Amino acid sequence: MSTKIELCSYSGYKVYAGHGKRVVKPDGKVVVYLSQKCQRSADMKRNPRNITWTVLYRRKHKKGVIEEQSKKKTRRTTKFTRAITGASLNDIMAKRDQKPEFRKMQREQAIRAAKQAVKEKRATKKATSTTSKAKPAPQKPIQKAPKQAAGAKPRVGGKR
């Protein structure tokens, strides 16, 4: 002989045979409550997801779930070397394998070359500026047309 175990429609807890209350709504829907507390809360239209002791609240807020689930394994990131825009993978590997002294020497050589280029640029700029500094011939000022004499013609027509 097996007894039917039902679930409370409000709290979500098990309702064993001989316990709880079965209510038939006017639309014919049968509702099972574990206790008067559950029935009253349902009648007041309280949301079971916001009531801390209900199963729905515990599911929503992930209470007591850790025991059931095994923790997820975190994925380890793997290093992967690949080419960067403008440099192939072989170039990158060759540069990585170079000795620090060699790299330092290359850097100093590049700095010297850049400084030399700047000096040459300044020298050419200075040479061109000294030749262009010679004063050009002074220009004659442009003469403006002379104004007419103030009282040359009598005005016609009176005040306006």
Side-chain angles (χ1 to χ4, degrees):
M1 180 177 137
S2 65
T3 57
K4 191 176 179 189
I5 300 171
E6 296 180 281
L7 289 177
C8 174
S9 59
Y10 184 78
S11 67
Y13 288 120
K14 292 177 185 174
V15 180
Y16 292 95
H19 295 269
K21 197 179 212 180
R22 186 181 299 265
V23 177
V24 181
K25 300 273 183 174
D27 61 348
K29 191 175 178 185
V30 178
V31 184
V32 179
Y33 295 116
L34 176 67
S35 63
Q36 182 64 28
K37 178 182 176 180
C38 295
Q39 187 180 356
R40 245 190 333 241
S41 294
D43 290 345
M44 287 190 273
K45 297 187 177 172
R46 285 185 179 153
N47 190 347
R49 286 166 191 82
N50 299 338
I51 307 297
T52 52
W53 50 268
T54 61
V55 173
L56 286 169
Y57 175 90
R58 293 184 70 76
R59 272 196 207 127
K60 179 183 172 187
H61 294 88
K62 296 179 176 68
K63 304 289 182 190
V65 179
I66 298 164
E67 299 150 13
E68 297 169 18
Q69 289 182 349
S70 60
K71 289 204 170 189
K72 288 185 180 179
K73 291 181 181 178
T74 55
R75 284 180 62 185
R76 272 258 167 107
T77 54
T78 54
K79 282 192 174 182
F80 183 73
T81 52
R82 56 183 180 188
I84 302 169
T85 310
S88 68
L89 187 60
N90 294 333
D91 294 343
I92 294 169
M93 295 302 248
K95 193 162 256 188
R96 191 179 73 178
D97 295 338
Q98 288 175 352
K99 298 253 185 278
E101 297 86 29
F102 181 73
R103 249 187 274 159
K104 190 175 181 181
M105 189 177 70
Q106 272 188 330
R107 191 181 309 119
E108 287 171 357
Q109 199 172 13
I111 291 168
R112 264 190 255 118
K115 283 183 180 177
Q116 188 66 31
V118 169
K119 278 183 183 177
E120 289 173 9
K121 193 175 181 183
R122 281 187 186 156
T124 56
K125 198 174 185 182
K126 197 173 192 179
T128 55
S129 65
T130 55
T131 57
S132 66
K133 276 193 175 178
K135 290 187 179 177
Q139 295 178 345
K140 292 182 179 178
I142 301 169
Q143 291 183 342
K144 294 182 180 177
K147 288 187 178 179
Q148 290 181 347
K153 290 184 182 175
R155 292 188 74 181
V156 181
K159 283 190 178 178
R160 288 190 179 173

